[in-house]
Amino acid sequence: MADIQDLTLDIVQSIEIKAAVGDAWKAVLSRLTSENSTPDNKPMPMVLEEWPGGRWLRDLGNGHLWGFVHVIKPPNLIEIQGPMFMSYAVAGHLQLRLTQISGGTEFLLRHRVLGMIDPSHRACVTHGWDYLLQSAKQLAESGA
């Protein structure tokens, strides 16, 4: 029998970006959509419908739904609920929060999951989200 530790995942990561919050927001949305790629740099384009109830899905022609936009408050907050990359029975919540700080923006990511989480996903998810943070930072700071 699984205990609560086996059935939950709670990841919190943050990074400081030397860019205005609006520029960081654009970089994050770009990384969540057209500029998305895997940590080994393989393109993985996504679609994000930027309104409450909008979908976030992989752009595979026929689609692979990752979640629904729960909250969107540009340029500070987006929350998505759904299984994300886990194609099995889990409940997931992703929160991306951008806060203007002295010298730039703090980008905070929190991903919570409840369900029978595949051990390979548990092992790789922190690395994958770190890649998102780092690549959004690089994009925002480059001014692209």
Side-chain angles (χ1 to χ4, degrees):
M1 182 155 96
D3 68 15
I4 194 71
Q5 301 290 341
D6 295 331
L7 298 174
T8 60
L9 180 69
D10 190 2
I11 295 171
V12 179
Q13 294 176 277
S14 67
I15 194 167
E16 288 187 18
I17 299 174
K18 291 181 174 69
V21 71
D23 294 332
W25 176 262
K26 289 176 191 168
V28 169
L29 289 185
S30 182
R31 292 299 302 159
L32 291 176
T33 58
S34 61
E35 296 296 318
N36 191 42
S37 61
T38 63
D40 57 352
N41 213 29
K42 293 180 183 166
M44 192 171 79
M46 306 279 288
V47 172
L48 177 67
E49 299 170 340
E50 297 177 41
W51 57 81
R55 300 168 299 164
W56 185 39
L57 54 104
R58 283 197 62 186
D59 189 6
L60 299 171
N62 57 359
H64 174 161
L65 181 68
W66 278 35
F68 293 99
V69 175
H70 179 69
V71 176
I72 186 163
K73 296 180 181 179
N76 300 105
L77 178 66
I78 185 164
E79 295 182 10
I80 299 172
Q81 291 187 245
M84 311 299 156
F85 46 85
M86 299 177 215
S87 294
Y88 47 88
V90 295
H93 181 262
L94 177 65
Q95 180 184 73
L96 306 172
R97 183 177 297 276
L98 297 159
T99 306
Q100 189 76 52
I101 59 172
S102 178
T105 302
E106 178 187 36
F107 177 16
L108 176 79
L109 177 148
R110 185 162 195 181
H111 184 200
R112 294 175 172 172
V113 181
L114 176 63
M116 303 290 275
I117 303 162
D118 183 296
S120 66
H121 286 147
R122 184 181 297 279
C124 296
V125 69
T126 301
H127 175 68
W129 289 134
D130 184 57
Y131 177 72
L132 172 72
L133 269 71
Q134 295 293 337
S135 59
K137 173 184 171 76
Q138 183 180 9
L139 188 61
E141 290 179 354
S142 73

